[in-house]
Every structure is written in structure tokens, then in C-alpha cells.
Amino acid sequence: MGRQWRSAVAHTRTRMGEALFRRVAGPSGPENRDRIHLTPGPRWFPADGPVQRVHGDAALFVGGLAALLLQSLHPLAMAAVAEHSDYREDPWGRLQSISTFLAFTTYGTAEDAQHAVDRVKAVHRTVHGTAPGGEPYAAADPVLLEWVHDAEVSCFLGAHQRYGARRLGPAEQDEYVAGMARVGAALGVRRPPRTVAELGARLTAYRPQLRGTPQAREAARFLLRRPPVPWPLRPPYAALAAAAVDLLPEWARAELGLRPRLPFERRYTRLAGGAAVRLVGWVLRTPPGTPRRPGHGRSAAPSQ
């Protein structure tokens, strides 16, 4: 009976992991996974270094949601997303593009990482227009590029330090920020921050430019109240989303029209968020006895 139960659990876990992988990685996921892990050559980041540890942990799901919410508070960045992205009609497609980019730059060869960057830069050159307030925007603007980069790095690292299985020490946190500076610079960010202290100072400097526009609040409602996930997955998604909101500073939550959380709510939010992260990590973890590819491991990017 015990062996049958363990077999049933393993089968369920495998099916859940495959379903989640398909959602996150998209139809090209298996092909990309093999190319990322089986192609020989130098990588941008060392195996098991801070960048791979952060991006290979299920806490990245929390960090990714928090980053989307925080990034939306720059009116020009949000206008670019609202007018040039079909995130409402095809939210999984946008997630798949982001996760594939992360996987190639984090785990792929240096050549494939640069190709991924070049593809994103080509898209950025086509994204420009005028925000509802009348101000022009361009996705290739170094100011907007840095805001998106800084918010992403801050949220990824913050989520990992709160929910990650193997948290980073102070020097490793600076190493993570410096590693991500390589990606940011490749995308066109001028002088991206290289330490946690510098990252915090840059985020503070952006504060006067940030506000919760109607577009930003609509995006937050979509992510938090109308998530594009099947009903059986709503409870764990809700826990991840609440954990993402909890990562945001108070002013950001207020700008997005989200009420402040009471102290007892924060405690339960973090407990539920931690449980949801562990569940995702368990689903995505390679089952015992499964052959492992070079660099293969538990990853929130499509490197599973």
C-alpha cells in the first residue's frame, strides 16, 4: 500500500510539473531546455552562483509578480506595456517570453544569451508612442530600461531572501546585483547598479517619477483578481500573489489602490506564501532517479 501511494504521488507530481512547465515555457519549452543544457560552451554565469541560485528557485514566481506590479508604476513603462502588449488576451505568452529570456541568459551559452538579448532589443526598437498624459515614450530609452531592470532585480532578490531555499549572504547579494548588471548593460542600461546599496539608491531616485495610473491599477487588478489560471490553481496562485504584494513598499501598494496589510495579515501572508513556494518547488523538482542534464535543476525559468 505504501509503495502504491508513493507511486501515485510521484505520478501526480510529474504530471503537475509537466503541466506547469508547458504553461511557463510554452510549446518550444522542451526544445529550448535541451539547447540550454546540452549545448557546450561558456556561460555568462557560473553554475550554482548567485544568479543561477536566485533564478533556479521557485521564489522567483513571487519575485516575478512583484516586479510586474512595481514596474507598472512608471507611467511611461506602463503605457508601453498597455499599448504594445497583449497581456490581457495572451498573458501566458508574455510569461513564456520573459521566462525563456531568463533561462537563456541565466543558463544558456554566452552565444545564445547574446542572441536572446539581441531579440529583445529588436522588439524594443519597435515599441514607442505617446502616453495618455501626452508624454512620448520609447522602450529603448535608457531611463525606462534601467527602471525595468532595477525593479526586476530588486524584486527577484527580495523574494529569494524571504522565500528562497538557499538564501544569499551579503557578499553574494552584491554578486547577484553585479551579475544582473551584465544583462542590463547588454540590453542598453547605462551604468546599471552593481551592489545592493547602489540598487536601493537608484530605486529611491526614481520615486518622483512613479505613480499609480489607471493603466497600472487595471494591470494590478488583472494580475491579482482575475488571474489567467484554472480554478483549481487559484488558491496557490492567490498565496503567491499575496506574497508578491507583501514585498512591495507601502507607498507602492497605496499607488496601486491596494489596502495596507495589518500585522497579523503579514504573518499569515508569509506563511501561505512560503507554503505555495515550497509546493511549486516540489512540483518542479527533478524526481529521484531521473537522469540530470548538465546544469539541470529546480528552476522557475524554463530550464527544468
Side-chain angles (χ1 to χ4, degrees):
M1 185 68 178
R3 182 178 299 175
Q4 291 178 340
W5 181 83
R6 287 193 297 271
S7 177
V9 169
H11 178 69
T12 300
R13 172 180 165 183
T14 299
R15 292 193 63 181
M16 291 173 63
E18 290 173 349
L20 181 56
F21 176 77
R22 287 194 299 270
R23 283 284 193 175
V24 174
S28 299
E31 177 185 348
N32 289 335
R33 175 178 56 194
D34 288 345
R35 181 175 182 87
I36 287 166
H37 293 293
L38 300 180
T39 304
R43 266 68 178 166
W44 278 4
F45 304 109
D48 205 40
V51 173
Q52 289 202 6
R53 279 169 59 184
V54 171
H55 296 176
D57 195 287
L60 192 70
F61 282 90
V62 174
L65 283 169
L68 291 175
L69 293 169
L70 188 58
Q71 289 165 348
S72 74
L73 290 173
H74 195 298
L76 300 186
M78 186 63 236
V81 170
E83 296 176 15
H84 295 269
S85 167
D86 57 351
Y87 76 89
R88 295 181 191 84
E89 291 75 23
D90 185 23
W92 287 105
R94 184 167 185 242
L95 173 62
Q96 289 157 10
S97 297
I98 294 170
S99 62
T100 300
F101 174 81
L102 278 176
F104 272 109
T105 53
T106 302
Y107 302 100
T109 64
E111 182 179 3
D112 281 346
Q114 185 60 54
H115 287 164
V117 166
D118 292 341
R119 286 192 293 271
V120 170
K121 291 174 72 174
V123 172
H124 283 173
R125 287 192 290 270
T126 69
V127 176
H128 47 79
T130 304
E135 190 173 356
Y137 65 80
D141 179 356
V143 174
L144 291 187
L145 285 173
E146 182 174 347
W147 164 248
V148 171
H149 172 82
D150 292 353
E152 181 178 275
V153 173
S154 176
C155 290
F156 286 1
L157 182 57
H160 185 81
Q161 292 304 101
R162 184 169 294 175
Y163 297 108
R166 298 168 56 210
R167 299 173 192 180
L168 307 181
E172 291 174 316
Q173 293 178 53
D174 283 342
E175 188 178 343
Y176 174 75
V177 176
M180 290 301 288
R182 178 172 189 170
V183 181
L187 285 169
V189 178
R190 298 171 183 168
R191 299 183 303 104
R194 303 188 64 83
T195 67
V196 172
E198 189 177 353
L199 175 62
R202 299 285 186 89
L203 290 169
T204 299
Y206 271 98
R207 177 67 186 92
Q209 304 176 44
L210 309 177
R211 63 181 185 277
T213 61
Q215 289 177 327
R217 293 190 173 199
E218 169 57 28
R221 284 193 294 270
F222 178 80
L223 287 170
L224 302 176
R225 298 175 188 171
R226 301 193 301 274
V229 296
W231 281 104
L233 298 179
R234 291 290 177 92
Y237 180 91
L240 294 173
V245 171
D246 186 54
L247 275 180
L248 300 176
E250 291 288 350
W251 66 263
R253 292 197 290 270
E255 289 285 355
L256 289 171
L258 306 173
R259 65 176 180 81
R261 294 191 181 277
L262 301 174
F264 77 89
E265 287 182 300
R266 290 195 179 98
R267 179 184 177 188
Y268 289 110
T269 293
R270 294 180 186 185
L271 287 173
V277 167
R278 288 191 294 274
L279 174 63
V280 172
W282 176 78
V283 167
L284 290 177
R285 189 178 300 122
T286 305
T290 301
R292 294 168 68 86
R293 298 178 174 89
H296 180 85
R298 181 177 57 186
S299 174
S303 57
Q304 274 303 100

